[in-house]
């Protein structure tokens, strides 16, 4: 189960190869505006309400409907599904978005949907009596996270690098995939040494007690938007109005969650989970506090993607100038953007 630096690199390479495989034939432009779809296929997260689901419940999606096709625990998997046309949008850590785009996947980020702030952050937790207290203590230790090659692994690498560890030492830390709902239990049963916990699952574990934070992504980087929803270039060309309704609705849902009392947001999300009838536990939702998106309405500034372009170049996962920042994202479809559509194209 050990995951070395080379296998991590292989994972990112596989992500890239799949992108190359799906890039053929998906970037050709169809006539925009004719027969636009009004149904968006997507993947959800068990026991959680994602922003498009909240937007739909609030009525912001107008005549556009969501079609749930299953759940995921992996951002890279989610955006690959969007890139291959299995779903119509997907969301992932921005480093994974950059990597997929660097390997010619015809995708574009349209809105930020999660991030880190003082309420919404991912922490790396150990048992209270654990001897692990510094980066060097993670050598040879098992770190449970939801997926590889994404947000948590990036934070782990940054933490270890800042701790002065060599690449060889960093490669001896062992990130392992553990489903989020099982991560706390795996830590308490000592199946892993460190658990990456965020959001409602983190606060539930902290309330139980017996664990302490080694570090958090908010401590590492401050407040930042960490992930974006992507759509394919082809989808945006064929369905610009639908894309605009979707993106604007998600932006409005972000703003609604900020301006509405937390108890009301929690109550709304709890009802959404109950209504969809998937036999999910709604109790952890009471711990929700923020989606963590840094910018108003989820608008993308570019800096949240440039950070990971630089990181991937430094790691040797992509070449310098392999990715053009302005090709990676657009605010054109976000109706909450005060700029004119022509001024907001291609990442402005």
């Amino acid at each position: 189960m050990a995951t070395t630096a080379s296998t991590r690199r292989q994972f990112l390479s596989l992500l890239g190869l799949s992108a190359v495989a799906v890039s053929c034939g998906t970037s050709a432009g169809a006539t925009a505006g004719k027969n636009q779809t009004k149904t968006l296929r997507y993947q959800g997260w068990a026991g959680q309400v994602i922003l498009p689901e909240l937007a739909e419940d609030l009525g912001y999606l107008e005549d556009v409907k969501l079609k749930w096709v299953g759940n995921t625990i992996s951002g890279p998997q989610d955006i690959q599904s969007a890139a291959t046309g299995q779903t119509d949008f997907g969301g992932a850590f921005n480093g994974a978005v950059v990597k997929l785009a660097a390997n010619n996947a015809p995708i574009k980020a349209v809105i930020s949907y999660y991030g880190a702030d003082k309420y919404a952050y991912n922490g790396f937790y150990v048992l209270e009596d654990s001897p692990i207290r510094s980066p060097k203590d993670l050598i040879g230790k098992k770190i449970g996270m939801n997926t590889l090659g994404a947000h948590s692994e990036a934070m782990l690498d940054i933490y270890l690098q800042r701790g002065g560890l060599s690449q060889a030492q960093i490669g001896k830390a062992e990130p392992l995939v553990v489903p989020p709902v099982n991560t706390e239990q795996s830590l308490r049963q000592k199946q892993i040494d460190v658990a990456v916990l965020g959001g409602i699952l983190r606060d539930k574990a902290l309330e139980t007690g017996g664990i302490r934070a080694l570090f958090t992504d908010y401590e590492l980087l401050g407040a930042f938007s960490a992930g974006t929803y992507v759509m394919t270039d082809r989808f945006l060309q064929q369905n610009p109005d639908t894309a605009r309704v979707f993106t604007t609705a998600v932006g409005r849902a972000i703003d609604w969650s900020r301006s509405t009392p937390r108890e009301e947001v929690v109550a709304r999300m709890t009802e959404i989970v109950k209504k969809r009838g998937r036999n999910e536990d709604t109790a952890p939702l009471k711990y929700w506090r923020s989606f963590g998106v840094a910018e108003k309405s989820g608008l993308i500034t570019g800096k949240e993607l440039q950070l990971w372009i630089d990181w991937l170049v430094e790691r040797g996962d992509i070449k310098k100038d392999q990715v053009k920042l302005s090709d990676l994202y657009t605010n054109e479809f976000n109706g909450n953007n005060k700029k004119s559509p022509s001024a907001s194209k291609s990442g402005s």
Side-chain angles (χ1 to χ4, degrees):
M1 290 294 288
T3 305
T4 64
S6 63
T7 56
R8 288 185 229 174
R9 210 171 295 276
Q10 287 168 9
F11 173 85
L12 288 166
S13 297
L14 286 171
L15 184 64
L17 288 172
S18 68
V20 173
V22 304
S23 67
C24 300
T26 56
S27 59
T31 304
K34 291 188 176 180
N35 302 315
Q36 294 186 46
T37 184
K38 295 294 184 179
T39 301
L40 296 174
R41 299 161 300 153
Y42 78 102
Q43 296 183 120
W45 289 68
Q48 299 181 41
V49 176
I50 63 172
L51 277 162
E53 292 171 330
L54 179 60
E56 182 178 49
D57 195 71
L58 289 166
Y60 296 160
L61 281 177
E62 301 172 7
D63 61 344
V64 174
K65 303 295 182 185
L66 298 180
K67 183 179 179 181
W68 176 72
V69 298
N71 285 331
T72 185
I73 63 167
S74 167
Q77 185 277 331
D78 200 28
I79 60 174
Q80 284 188 73
S81 292
T84 55
Q86 295 171 284
T87 57
D88 297 308
F89 66 87
F93 161 63
N94 283 326
V97 172
V98 171
K99 183 64 179 179
L100 199 58
N103 286 279
N104 301 317
I107 57 168
K108 194 170 258 80
V110 294
I111 191 167
S112 294
Y113 74 98
Y114 88 93
D117 62 19
K118 63 181 179 179
Y119 301 120
Y121 58 87
N122 286 296
F124 285 63
Y125 292 89
V126 297
L127 295 174
E128 218 157 36
D129 60 356
S130 170
I132 298 173
R133 295 190 175 275
S134 71
K136 192 163 286 188
D137 294 333
L138 290 178
I139 296 173
K141 297 298 189 292
K142 294 180 173 63
I143 303 102
M145 56 186 65
N146 70 304
T147 190
L148 302 182
H151 185 110
S152 296
E153 191 174 354
M155 298 305 146
L156 176 62
D157 280 359
I158 291 171
Y159 176 71
L160 296 176
Q161 287 170 0
R162 290 186 180 180
L165 274 66
S166 67
Q167 284 303 311
Q169 290 174 315
I170 290 173
K172 290 178 182 176
E174 302 176 15
L176 304 174
V177 175
V178 181
V181 293
N182 302 127
T183 307
E184 177 191 352
Q185 182 183 12
S186 296
L187 176 65
R188 296 191 189 279
Q189 293 179 346
K190 300 186 177 180
Q191 295 169 333
I192 55 177
D193 303 292
V194 184
V196 182
L197 298 168
I200 57 182
L201 296 176
R202 176 202 66 223
D203 289 343
K204 180 174 176 288
L206 288 172
E207 185 175 78
T208 302
I211 64 173
R212 59 177 169 81
L214 183 62
F215 70 95
T216 73
D217 52 8
Y218 180 56
E219 290 170 351
L220 279 183
L221 299 175
F224 67 102
S225 292
T228 46
Y229 282 129
V230 304
M231 290 177 156
T232 63
D233 293 335
R234 183 176 184 178
F235 185 91
L236 293 172
Q237 290 164 2
Q238 292 181 340
N239 305 281
D241 297 332
T242 301
R244 189 167 290 108
V245 169
F246 167 79
T247 307
T248 302
V250 171
R252 289 181 67 190
I254 291 169
D255 295 340
W256 179 86
S257 73
R258 285 185 175 134
S259 62
T260 304
R262 188 180 74 87
E263 294 76 13
E264 189 177 330
V265 179
V266 169
R268 190 99 188 199
M269 294 196 297
T270 301
E271 281 305 306
I272 291 171
V273 172
K274 286 180 178 177
K275 283 189 293 186
R276 66 194 186 196
R278 299 177 199 161
N279 195 29
E280 299 163 286
D281 181 13
T282 60
L285 288 169
K286 68 181 180 182
Y287 298 102
W288 181 90
R289 298 178 78 182
S290 169
F291 286 107
V293 178
E295 304 299 328
K296 183 181 184 301
S297 310
L299 290 166
I300 303 170
T301 66
K303 63 184 180 183
E304 60 276 88
L305 289 157
Q306 187 64 53
L307 173 68
W308 304 110
I309 293 174
D310 297 341
W311 178 71
L312 287 163
V313 169
E314 186 180 340
R315 282 167 54 105
D317 291 319
I318 65 174
K319 296 176 182 177
K320 189 177 181 181
D321 301 324
Q322 188 174 340
V323 177
K324 186 178 179 183
L325 178 63
S326 60
D327 291 339
L328 270 179
Y329 76 99
T330 181
N331 287 311
E332 177 187 357
F333 299 95
N334 193 333
N336 304 289
N337 188 6
K338 291 182 179 179
K339 297 179 182 179
S340 66
S342 60
S344 62
K345 288 183 180 180
S346 299
S348 61

